[in-house]
């Protein structure tokens, strides 16, 4: 008969359980005795049967082994209470840094004029000295930057004056050069009466219009300021100039927004386009003017008052220009590569003037609740609309709230978002 492996679980038969307990207890005590004898180990075994009867074995004394166990536990607990040297070092470093942070925070608050109560006169004098020293260093740094900026502007101003002087001298000599060429070619002197100099331009003179009618441009961007000159003078004076093409597929007049978009699209499609404007500025009706241009546009020859500042500080849009960030116009501009010369900028905010004050137009649900421009019910409707827009996802029908944005107008959308029983929600 071979031995079979039994499953380790509670034995249900009480008699069999008692027999197994007796056999295995004796085997356990035997193994403990052998371990103690062979390895000189101090062993104590305590076993309680299911009926509560005590069985014990000890190589020396059970009480002695238990007492030794208790002493060992107390020693381990004491060792756990003593931190390691590394932990002690980290704790001290942390305490030192925390103290320094607290002191520096307190000093910074005092430098900002806070928590000054409790400081004596000497401490206040020391604080004042620190503030004066820091302020003097700030002023010195600011003055250095001012001086550098002033020197840079002076240098640029001297360069501009020198260039202006050279251009003025060239334009003063221009009629004499023309007369000399005409005399050399045997042309009558009356032809020189149509020569115009930019040094003393006539009333209503427009340099950009003149250059376009000439049909000439210079390789180094030097403007041409004469019209109706004989061919011999052109050949002599404009040797460094290149003639414009005489044939174009399309001629676009004006540099307004629509004209510029049309010109760009046609150019991208491979057509030869001539784009002209009679004004001395770009943009047409949608242009942005500085102060001098704005004053000339509305006041004629009057000059703006000096207290308004320099002209270049102004950039007034004749027509405010806004584009939807994901609209068709932006796609057209990107398609025509105008983004190489144009920077898009998000609108930071819209403001309105109401009852002597300027208010920000709310753009979020939080701003809608805080805005004084609306009443209580309007604030709630605006808040619901902003939350709807923020949570809207094209691929998530749950965020549509039953509305099809391809079928409803903006007015209907704003009305329906805040109305739980809007009939348009059934269009989806």
């Amino acid at each position: 008969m071979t031995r079979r492996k039994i499953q380790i679980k509670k034995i249900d038969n009480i008699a069999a359980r008692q027999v197994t307990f007796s056999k295995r207890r004796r085997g356990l005590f035997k193994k403990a005795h052998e371990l103690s004898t062979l390895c000189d180990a101090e062993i104590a075994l305590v076993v309680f049967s299911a009926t509560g009867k005590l069985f014990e074995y000890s190589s020396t004394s059970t009480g002695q082994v238990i007492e030794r166990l208790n002493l060992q536990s107390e020693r381990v607990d004491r060792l756990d209470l003593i931190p390691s040297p590394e932990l002690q070092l980290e704790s001290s470093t942390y305490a030192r840094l925390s103290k320094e942070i607290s002191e520096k925070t307190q000093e910074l608050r005092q430098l900002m004029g806070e928590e000054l109560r409790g400081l004596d006169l000497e401490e206040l004098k020391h604080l004042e000295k620190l503030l004066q020293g820091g302020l003097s260093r700030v002023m010195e740094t600011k003055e250095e930057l001012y001086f550098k900026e002033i020197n840079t502007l002076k240098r640029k101003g001297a360069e501009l004056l020198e260039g202006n002087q050279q251009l003025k001298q060239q334009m003063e000599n221009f009629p004499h050069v023309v007369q000399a060429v005409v005399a050399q070619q045997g042309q009558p002197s009356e032809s020189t009466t149509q020569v115009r100099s930019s040094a003393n331009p006539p009333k209503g003179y427009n340099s950009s219009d003149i250059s376009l009618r000439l049909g000439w441009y210079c390789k180094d961007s030097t403007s041409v300021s004469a019209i109706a000159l004989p061919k011999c003078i052109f050949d002599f004076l404009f040797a460094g100039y290149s003639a414009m093409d005489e044939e174009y597929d399309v001629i676009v007049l004006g540099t307004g927004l629509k004209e510029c978009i049309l010109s760009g699209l046609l150019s991208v499609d491979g057509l030869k386009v001539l784009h002209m404007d009679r004004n001395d500025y770009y943009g047409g009706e949608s242009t942005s003017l500085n102060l001098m241009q704005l004053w000339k546009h509305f006041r004629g020859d009057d000059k703006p008052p000096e207290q308004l500042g320099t002209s270049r500080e102004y950039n007034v849009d004749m027509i405010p220009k806004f584009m939807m960030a994901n609209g068709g116009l932006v796609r057209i501009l990107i398609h025509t590569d105008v983004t190489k010369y144009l920077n898009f900028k998000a609108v930071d905010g819209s403001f309105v003037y109401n009852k002597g004050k300027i208010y920000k137009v709310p753009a979020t649900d939080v701003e809608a609740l805080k805005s004084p421009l609306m009443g209580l019910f309007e604030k709630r409707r605006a808040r619901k609309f902003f939350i709807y827009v923020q949570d809207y996802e094209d691929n998530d029908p749950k965020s549509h709230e039953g509305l099809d944005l391809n079928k409803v107008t903006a007015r209907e959308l704003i009305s329906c978002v805040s109305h739980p029983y809007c009939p348009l929600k059934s269009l989806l």
Side-chain angles (χ1 to χ4, degrees):
M1 182 177 180
T2 58
R3 297 178 60 183
R4 62 185 180 88
K5 186 175 181 180
I6 64 173
Q7 188 177 4
I8 302 300
K9 67 177 184 178
K10 182 179 178 180
I11 301 174
D12 296 330
N13 190 291
I14 298 177
R17 188 194 309 164
Q18 185 64 30
V19 172
T20 303
F21 174 77
S22 299
K23 289 182 179 180
R24 298 211 173 214
R25 175 178 56 79
R26 286 195 296 268
L28 180 62
F29 285 176
K30 181 180 179 182
K31 292 294 183 181
H33 175 71
E34 292 176 356
L35 180 61
S36 173
T37 303
L38 294 174
C39 302
D40 194 19
E42 190 173 3
I43 300 175
L45 292 177
V46 177
V47 180
F48 285 93
S49 66
T51 58
K53 186 176 180 180
L54 173 65
F55 299 91
E56 62 176 334
Y57 166 81
S58 176
S59 59
T60 55
S61 171
T62 304
Q64 182 179 347
V65 174
I66 294 175
E67 183 179 357
R68 184 176 178 182
L69 174 65
N70 294 333
L71 291 175
Q72 181 68 19
S73 300
E74 293 177 0
R75 189 180 300 111
V76 171
D77 293 339
R78 286 197 300 271
L79 290 176
D80 291 339
L81 294 176
I82 300 175
S84 63
E86 293 81 2
L87 185 59
Q88 291 179 358
L89 179 60
E90 291 181 0
S91 300
S92 61
T93 303
Y94 174 77
R96 177 174 56 82
L97 293 177
S98 299
K99 184 179 179 181
E100 291 181 1
I101 292 174
S102 178
E103 292 175 353
K104 295 299 181 183
T105 304
Q106 181 73 12
E107 183 178 351
L108 180 60
R109 289 177 179 174
Q110 291 175 354
L111 289 173
M112 296 174 63
E114 302 175 1
E115 300 183 6
L116 299 179
R117 296 181 179 274
L119 298 180
D120 55 20
L121 185 59
E122 293 297 328
E123 291 175 339
L124 289 174
K125 288 182 177 179
H126 177 67
L127 184 61
E128 183 181 9
K129 186 177 180 181
L130 290 177
L131 288 172
Q132 290 177 350
L135 182 60
S136 63
R137 289 191 293 271
V138 171
M139 295 296 294
E140 290 175 0
T141 305
K142 186 174 71 171
E143 289 176 359
E144 290 179 1
L145 293 177
Y146 276 151
F147 283 129
K148 289 181 180 179
E149 187 69 19
I150 290 172
N151 292 331
T152 302
L153 293 176
K154 285 182 178 180
R155 186 176 67 255
K156 291 182 178 179
E159 293 175 356
L160 290 175
L161 288 175
E162 183 180 357
N164 261 344
Q165 192 66 25
Q166 293 177 358
L167 290 175
K168 184 177 180 181
Q169 186 176 0
Q170 291 175 3
M171 297 311 299
E172 288 176 352
N173 296 332
F174 187 76
H176 304 290
V177 174
V178 173
Q179 290 178 0
V181 175
V182 171
Q184 182 180 0
Q185 297 293 331
Q187 298 290 339
S189 59
E190 287 77 11
S191 61
T192 60
T193 59
Q194 298 187 32
V195 177
R196 293 179 181 176
S197 171
S198 61
N200 187 17
K203 187 175 181 180
Y205 168 74
N206 191 317
S207 61
S208 62
D209 189 28
I210 296 298
S211 62
L212 288 173
R213 282 186 282 163
L214 271 172
W216 292 82
Y217 70 96
C218 182
K219 294 179 179 178
D220 57 358
S221 299
T222 304
S223 62
V224 179
S225 302
I227 61 171
L229 293 177
K231 183 177 183 302
C232 60
I233 299 178
F234 270 88
D235 295 340
F236 178 80
L237 294 178
F238 304 128
Y241 293 75
S242 299
M244 295 171 60
D245 294 335
E246 297 181 356
E247 294 183 359
Y248 295 89
D249 298 322
V250 180
I251 298 178
V252 179
L253 302 179
T255 54
L257 181 61
K258 292 182 291 185
E259 291 82 358
C260 289
I261 294 175
L262 178 61
S263 176
L265 291 173
L266 294 174
S267 300
V268 171
D269 289 342
L271 297 177
K272 182 188 275 188
V273 181
L274 176 61
H275 198 176
M276 302 189 299
D277 197 334
R278 63 182 178 181
N279 298 316
D280 58 351
Y281 54 81
Y282 294 100
E285 296 180 352
S286 304
T287 188
S288 299
L289 303 179
N290 58 34
L291 186 59
M292 294 294 294
Q293 294 171 337
L294 183 68
W295 219 261
K296 182 179 179 181
H297 186 79
F298 291 102
R299 299 289 180 87
D301 296 332
D302 293 346
K303 293 185 178 180
E306 295 182 357
Q307 59 266 27
L308 293 180
T310 59
S311 177
R312 62 183 180 182
E313 293 179 351
Y314 291 82
N315 191 28
V316 181
D317 283 348
M318 302 305 294
I319 298 177
K321 297 174 281 292
F322 291 94
M323 294 184 293
M324 299 299 293
N326 196 27
L329 181 56
V330 174
R331 297 190 183 97
I332 292 175
L333 294 175
I334 294 175
H335 174 70
T336 57
D337 289 334
V338 74
T339 51
K340 296 179 180 178
Y341 319 101
L342 179 68
N343 291 327
F344 293 101
K345 185 180 185 301
V347 178
D348 296 328
S350 300
F351 300 85
V352 296
Y353 183 79
N354 185 26
K355 297 180 180 179
K357 294 184 179 180
I358 297 178
Y359 299 96
K360 185 179 186 300
V361 178
T364 63
D365 54 327
V366 178
E367 292 179 353
L369 294 178
K370 294 181 179 180
S371 176
L373 299 174
M374 299 181 291
L376 179 61
F377 295 103
E378 292 176 331
K379 289 181 179 180
R380 293 182 61 187
R381 286 195 293 267
R383 177 179 177 272
K384 289 182 179 179
F385 172 72
F386 287 131
I387 292 176
Y388 176 83
V389 173
Q390 293 169 5
D391 296 341
Y392 185 87
E393 295 289 344
D394 289 334
N395 301 326
D396 186 8
K398 294 182 180 179
S399 65
H400 301 177
E401 296 186 7
L403 290 173
D404 186 357
L405 299 188
N406 295 320
K407 299 180 180 179
V408 298
T409 63
R411 184 184 298 274
E412 293 170 343
L413 173 64
I414 296 174
S415 301
C416 280
V417 166
S418 58
H419 198 292
Y421 302 107
C422 177
L424 293 175
K425 293 185 178 182
S426 61
L427 294 177
L428 183 62

